[in-house]
Amino acid sequence: MNRVATYQFGPFHLQAAEHRLLRQGIEIPLQLKAFETLCRLVERAGCLLTKEDLLSQVWPGMIVEENNLNKNISLLRKALGEYASGQSYIETVPRVGYRFIAPVTNVGAHSANPGEKVGELPSEKSIAVLYFENLNGDKEDEYFRDGMTEDVITELEKIRELRLFPRSAVLGFRDKPVPVTEVGQRLCAAYVLEGSIRRAGERLRITARLVETRNGHSVWAERYDRRLEDVFSIQDEIAQNIALALRVMLTEKEKHEIQKVPTHNIQAYDYYLRGRQFFYTLRRQGLEFARQMFARAIVIDPEYARAYAGVADCCSFLYMWYEAKEDNLREALAASRQAVELDSQSPVTRASLGLAQFLNGNYEEARNEFETALGLCTELFEAYYFYGRSCFAQGQFEKAAHLFGRAAEVNPADYQAVSLRGLCFRALARTPEAQEAFEECLRRVERHLQLNPDDVRAVYLASSSLAGLGDFAAARDWADRALAMDSDEPSVLYNVACTYVSVGEKDKAIDCMEKAMRQGF
């Protein structure tokens, strides 16, 4: 019996593994690369695929002219005809890429025997996990709610057949009454997981509901009323139940990874969650507090791998943006190595060690760790992003552009990777692609600031993109805006200085750089 994956759209059936496209049972001949292009588009139906992404996926490891992709799209449009009156199945997004706009059903793995019926599943098992509602109403308890939500994301990321959006992609929806259908449209997510959490003494009450964003229907729902120390069991059950609801067959390795308990001490876990809350501020004081919280977790549980990775990342970020001290480098490397020694199968610990090795100038070692992290989890934004920064630092702009592109694809709400991708293309003298990246950065920043108006990093990266597009007046305005928001933060001062240099404001740039250095940059 031959097992194949089949997608259905309109009168067509696309059998990916068999390289067959059927229209009402009649095979439509397609050239191999045109067929592979169609597969990529159909697999991500409704989502924008950039030209760079399609070129890298259809011709991996090769340098191919864009005209080859254009020919494939033209062949596919002729083969498919019109989806609606005068409308092609494949939409062109000028200067950016293409989107498959027809509804797609993935009828999954099935028998190729004629007449066999198969169940229908969504075309893509992509899930956005929204922050659970904090029913305690206590701001002091927000760290636990946030940490619990993010750990559910981490557990689901261990299932290869699922595609998860990172915390930064869903952060803007936290505590906002946004309908799940709108979340699905904004993120191009097939499903949304939402719920609530209440911690009362030693009891933990959680509700969770998985919703199909296309129609708002519940796919799965459950209520948990357990002891606080059962928090990891609840996370495990949520992941396994979602896999069951979406008809995902877990491998033995996936089951083992989901069932692994990061720590057996709930107090250590509590300190770890507090540390993460401080860490995500990415401010100097927040990173220093986070390092203290992670260190306390390690004192309670010396085998807590995630806590060691937390210490390492705090030291790495402090070194990058605030204090370029050898002590920070040494501690980042030592803590991340200990994290990997305790849990070598965690993509998070591997990415943490990769970042520390990169900052220490050990580029080959960093590459190995990032590649290992991505082998363990192909959707880990941090691995793509910092791997890209490592390549950028070495002048490997082509590879860095590809990695930043993957990071931007993994997290469609992120603006940082797109901005850096523009710098890569500018360094390669690929001006049209650089401009497209800067324009995409501005679009993402605009959407991000609607939900996060106080994010100064988004503002100063927008100013950099405006400078890259040659709109110097707007770039100055946005740089001034970033300074008005936070004129003492070293990373803000440095990045604003870069924009001022680009637009010819040299005196302002020097003033900002001098102040940044006085502040410890």
Side-chain angles (χ1 to χ4, degrees), residues 347-364:
V348 173
T349 63
R350 290 290 189 174
S352 179
L353 179 54
L355 175 57
Q357 293 283 23
F358 153 50
L359 294 176
N360 275 273
N362 304 327
Y363 296 124
E364 186 62 25

Side-chain angles (χ1 to χ4, degrees), residues 61 279 314 356 415:
F279 176 81
C314 287
Y415 52 83

Side-chain angles (χ1 to χ4, degrees), residues 144-159:
F144 190 88
R145 181 278 303 266
D146 291 356
M148 176 70 185
T149 305
E150 291 154 12
D151 280 346
V152 169
I153 297 175
T154 300
E155 291 303 299
L156 289 169
E157 283 176 335
K158 297 174 181 178
I159 304 174

Side-chain angles (χ1 to χ4, degrees), residues 52 55 66 95 421-422 425-426 429-438:
E52 293 81 9
L55 287 169
E66 187 178 303
R95 298 193 300 167
R421 196 169 196 231
F425 286 135
R426 190 168 67 182
R430 290 160 58 174
T431 303
E433 291 159 293
Q435 290 181 331
E436 288 177 9
F438 290 138

